Amino acid sequence: MSENTNVSLRSIGILRGLVGFVAGALAGMLLVTLIRFLIGLPVWNSSAHGFVEPAWVVGALFGGIGFMVGTGVLNDWFRWTRGEETPTHPHDAHESGWARYLSVSFDHKVIGIQYGITSLLMLSLAGLFALTFRTELVAPGIQFLPLQNYNTVMSLHGIVMIYGILLGVGAMSNYLVPVMIGANDMAFPRLNAFAFWINVPAGLLLISTLFLGGFDTGWTGYPPLSRIAPLGMQMFFLGVYFFGLSSILGSLNIIVTVIRLRAPGMTYFRMPIFVWSALATALIGLTATQLIGLAFQLVMFERLFGMGFFNPNLGGDPILFQHLFWFYSHPAVYVFVLTGLGVISEILPVFVRKPLFGYRWVAMSSVGIALVGFLVWAHHMFTSGMASYLRVPFMYTTLLVAIPTGVKFFSWIATIWQGKISFETPMLFVLGAISIFLLGGLSGPPNGTVSTDLHVQDTYWIVGHFHATMFGGFVFPFFAAIYFWFPKITGRMYNERLGKLHFFLMLPAFYVQSLGQMSAGLLGMRRRIGDYDPALGIQTTHLLITLAGFVIGISVLIALVNFVYSAVRGRQAVANPWRSRSPEFQLPSPIPVLNYERPIRVIGEPYDYGLPGSAYVDIDKERAPQATPPPEDAQAGAVAPAGAD
């Protein structure tokens, strides 16, 4: 291997980070071992995983720090602490090429792509976990997956899927918000890079649970089970803790960017609706994430120091953990869903060629969902043993959240009404998202109503409802967003036939899966259970659910092949293939490093498609960089009057 190749490899941030992770983990474990040895405490546990649990926990913390130091994401801050001058606009180590996506970059577009690729990888891994334990459930009895391994794989499916979804939220927010509001980058580029890279050790810690005894609590980590779970439980807690830090920092960045960096003329009620969704999502992430971090930290302290926050024998209360956990984890559902609903509202008018009906109501409904979302957490606890007088108030607040959600549905229906609809792949996924999210919404009230929740709680009915909410509220919109903005991100078009094949495989398969899960739940199938009684008569249902899961997996594989191949060999995309009015589609494809060489000015409303003489943004083409002019029909409705539709 040549010296140049060695230098090239050493310059790849993620490789240096992995070395730093290993070095930091070893240093932390040895430090704790030395301290315990000096003060006479045991340092080795021959019946478990060698080093005692505190050594593993501190090693994991040091490993995360070592990873961040190794990548170089902290370099500018280190220089600043030494009094050295740091550039106002930091530069990337790799200005172009594939290496910039594996190293620290301060360009929000690169960071958005890094989030997106990591999200797709994590979602695929979580899907593989699901297919593994779904195969076990095809028939009653234990087939090939012992119950302890089943519990770990099932638990990892849940948390890794949530981890992947939140990364997808970060991908869309990071890439789109600055270009949609006319900014050249996020308000805090260095913080933005830090917020992404801390996710990598978080993911490594989650995956390490497979090799450290696993954990059997599901993705919720409820005590008392989590207090006595294997060492993998601590890695789960630390992984989520790191990821929560990323969420808080990323949310702060989004809020400041939206408030401070909007283009001239872009008032709050001239912002694209996706920006409203990203802002509402960030408000939740900034204010609620601390609660799940606190809950997990307290269980970590119980395990490490013998404290009794949730141990009744020591004066603790396990119900307190559930309050802390769900105060974040139910609003977190709206973090996923609000972003997806924003994508639907953003894309729908483009393919209907009509103004978005009730724009201001839709914008405020995102804020309304975010606010009401903080008042509904205890409907997850109707069967937990909490004070019974809390049930009815939380039932009402849970049902109340349907009002701002209904505003969005009525807006979408009114927007579609008498529109000139075209059915490209992004539009198909939008329509699929609306139908599936409706299924999730209609199956929700039985969970929020006390009398029915007492019967369906912790059954497969909840599993079917939750999957419908996640697929309709995020997964389908996420794929719609990827297909819609793919030409803008890569400068190339995806393969339309493969895109439609992806959709027409995934949509019916998901309906079979979700409706099958609900049916099994009504017949008595409990969630998070690795076996079931043949007398329930649900073996055929489980077989159909599993087959549907494999079809969904095949459809996602087709999509990934489409994305990779099209990014390299797809046909060149024009600047505005969808005739969108949004500011980012007035830029070249792909968007240059400096988004806007000259500031844009907002002069109209964002969704006035089809209205004669309307325009949204003003770009001085004499000064601003432009792409090769696309065909005339592809430019219509961009900065020209929308009456050209």
Side-chain angles (χ1 to χ4, degrees):
M1 184 177 293
S2 68
E3 180 64 25
N4 289 337
T5 305
N6 288 329
V7 171
S8 178
L9 290 177
R10 286 199 299 269
S11 68
I12 303 300
I14 192 170
L15 297 180
R16 298 197 314 270
L18 292 174
V19 173
F21 183 85
V22 173
L26 291 175
M29 295 175 75
L30 291 175
L31 175 63
V32 172
T33 301
L34 177 61
I35 293 174
R36 292 177 66 90
F37 175 77
L38 292 176
I39 62 179
L41 292 176
V43 299
W44 192 262
N45 187 343
S46 58
S47 63
H49 295 89
F51 291 104
V52 294
E53 188 166 292
W56 284 98
V57 172
V58 174
L61 288 170
F62 276 48
I65 297 171
F67 180 89
M68 301 302 286
V69 173
T71 59
V73 75
L74 302 176
N75 287 354
D76 276 1
W77 288 329
F78 287 154
R79 294 190 188 101
W80 179 78
T81 59
R82 296 195 300 266
E84 297 180 16
E85 185 176 354
T86 55
T88 303
H89 301 286
H91 299 288
D92 297 351
H94 301 274
E95 294 293 342
S96 61
W98 61 269
R100 68 188 310 212
Y101 298 103
L102 298 176
S103 301
V104 173
S105 173
F106 302 104
D107 182 351
H108 75 96
K109 299 182 293 299
V110 174
I111 294 172
I113 293 171
Q114 289 171 331
Y115 268 107
I117 293 174
T118 310
S119 172
L120 290 172
L121 291 175
M122 291 296 104
L123 292 174
S124 300
L125 180 60
L128 290 175
F129 288 144
L131 295 179
T132 301
F133 74 78
R134 281 298 334 161
T135 303
E136 172 61 41
L137 290 173
V138 165
I142 304 302
Q143 320 304 319
F144 67 94
L145 199 60
L147 288 180
Q148 176 62 32
N149 295 339
Y150 177 94
N151 290 336
T152 297
V153 172
M154 176 271 300
S155 302
L156 278 174
H157 162 69
I159 192 60
V160 174
M161 188 65 77
I162 290 172
Y163 172 53
I165 289 174
L166 286 172
L167 287 169
V169 170
M172 292 187 284
S173 297
N174 274 278
Y175 194 95
L176 295 175
V177 167
V179 291
M180 280 186 162
I181 65 174
N184 285 327
D185 210 328
M186 299 286 280
F188 306 116
R190 294 176 178 87
L191 192 66
N192 200 26
F194 181 93
F196 166 73
W197 284 100
I198 194 66
N199 289 297
V200 179
L204 293 175
L205 292 175
L206 288 179
I207 302 306
S208 73
T209 61
L210 284 170
F211 311 103
L212 296 175
F215 62 104
D216 55 2
T217 63
W219 69 276
T220 56
Y222 279 2
L225 194 56
S226 59
R227 289 192 295 109
I228 59 175
L231 176 60
M233 192 81 250
Q234 291 285 44
M235 300 302 109
F236 164 85
F237 285 150
L238 287 169
V240 175
Y241 206 87
F242 282 170
F243 186 70
L245 176 60
S246 167
S247 182
I248 292 170
L249 298 178
S251 298
L252 174 66
N253 216 345
I254 291 290
I255 293 170
V256 176
T257 299
V258 173
I259 292 175
R260 298 290 297 170
L261 299 184
R262 299 189 313 279
M266 183 174 284
T267 62
Y268 284 107
F269 285 111
R270 282 182 168 179
M271 293 193 308
I273 209 72
F274 179 83
V275 179
W276 273 103
S277 297
L279 180 61
T281 296
L283 291 172
I284 296 174
L286 180 65
T287 55
T289 309
Q290 293 88 342
L291 273 296
I292 191 173
L294 175 63
F296 286 173
Q297 182 184 25
L298 294 179
V299 181
M300 287 174 58
F301 284 176
E302 284 198 5
R303 293 175 60 109
L304 291 174
F305 307 122
M307 296 178 175
F309 301 107
F310 309 119
N311 186 349
N313 295 328
L314 299 177
D317 184 2
I319 303 299
L320 172 61
F321 176 91
Q322 295 191 36
H323 281 293
L324 293 173
F325 177 86
W326 286 115
F327 187 80
Y328 163 77
S329 295
H330 194 85
V333 173
Y334 300 120
V335 170
F336 317 149
V337 167
L338 279 174
T339 305
L341 303 189
V343 168
I344 295 173
S345 297
E346 191 68 42
I347 294 177
L348 194 63
V350 178
F351 291 97
V352 176
R353 310 313 296 173
K354 277 183 58 185
L356 179 67
F357 185 85
Y359 162 81
R360 293 196 175 205
W361 286 99
V362 175
M364 295 311 297
S365 70
S366 295
V367 179
I369 291 173
L371 295 178
V372 178
F374 283 100
L375 306 175
V376 305
W377 78 88
H379 75 251
H380 292 274
M381 301 169 56
F382 287 159
T383 61
S384 69
M386 72 175 183
S388 59
Y389 61 80
L390 292 175
R391 288 175 173 174
V392 173
F394 277 104
M395 179 179 71
Y396 285 134
T397 56
T398 299
L399 298 177
L400 182 64
V401 80
I403 295 176
T405 307
V407 168
K408 294 185 183 294
F409 270 99
F410 286 122
S411 168
W412 299 334
I413 293 170
T415 302
I416 293 172
W417 182 256
Q418 294 186 337
K420 300 176 181 178
I421 307 177
S422 58
F423 294 98
E424 287 84 357
T425 300
M427 183 61 171
L428 291 176
F429 274 92
V430 164
L431 295 175
I434 293 173
S435 68
I436 292 174
F437 191 67
L438 180 61
L439 173 64
L442 294 176
S443 60
N447 315 327
T449 307
V450 176
S451 57
T452 49
D453 184 70
L454 295 177
H455 297 280
V456 301
Q457 177 66 27
D458 276 337
T459 69
Y460 253 66
W461 170 274
I462 303 294
V463 176
H465 159 73
F466 185 69
H467 280 77
T469 304
M470 290 297 95
F471 268 74
F474 178 82
V475 176
F476 272 73
F478 186 42
F479 281 116
I482 294 175
Y483 284 113
F484 184 71
W485 279 286
F486 188 87
K488 186 55 56 181
I489 294 171
T490 65
R492 297 180 181 272
M493 291 298 297
Y494 62 86
N495 185 294
E496 187 72 31
R497 289 184 179 180
L498 290 179
K500 290 182 176 178
L501 178 61
H502 172 201
F503 173 78
F504 285 113
L505 285 174
M506 179 179 271
L507 182 68
F510 178 78
Y511 271 112
V512 171
Q513 173 185 284
S514 187
L515 293 173
Q517 289 166 335
M518 293 181 191
S519 173
L522 293 177
L523 292 173
M525 178 66 188
R526 309 297 296 176
R527 71 190 301 191
R528 305 190 181 112
I529 299 298
D531 193 10
Y532 54 92
D533 189 346
L536 291 176
I538 56 176
Q539 182 173 344
T540 300
T541 302
H542 273 299
L543 175 62
L544 291 174
I545 295 170
T546 302
L547 291 176
F550 274 95
V551 173
I552 293 173
I554 292 170
S555 73
V556 172
L557 180 61
I558 291 171
L560 296 178
V561 171
N562 191 1
F563 297 150
V564 173
Y565 180 84
S566 299
V568 177
R569 297 186 177 274
R571 64 182 176 87
Q572 291 289 331
V574 297
N576 194 357
W578 313 122
R579 297 183 297 151
S580 171
R581 297 165 59 92
S582 193
E584 74 275 15
F585 279 99
Q586 319 318 317
L587 294 171
S589 298
I591 300 174
V593 174
L594 184 66
N595 299 339
Y596 299 96
E597 186 176 297
R598 297 290 186 272
I600 65 170
R601 185 170 190 84
V602 177
I603 59 175
E605 303 302 321
Y607 301 106
D608 283 350
Y609 292 96
L611 301 184
S614 68
Y616 181 38
V617 298
D618 177 37
I619 298 180
D620 188 340
K621 295 185 178 182
E622 296 296 325
R623 295 179 297 165
Q626 295 295 310
T628 302
E632 184 176 351
D633 61 344
Q635 294 187 23
V639 293
D645 291 348

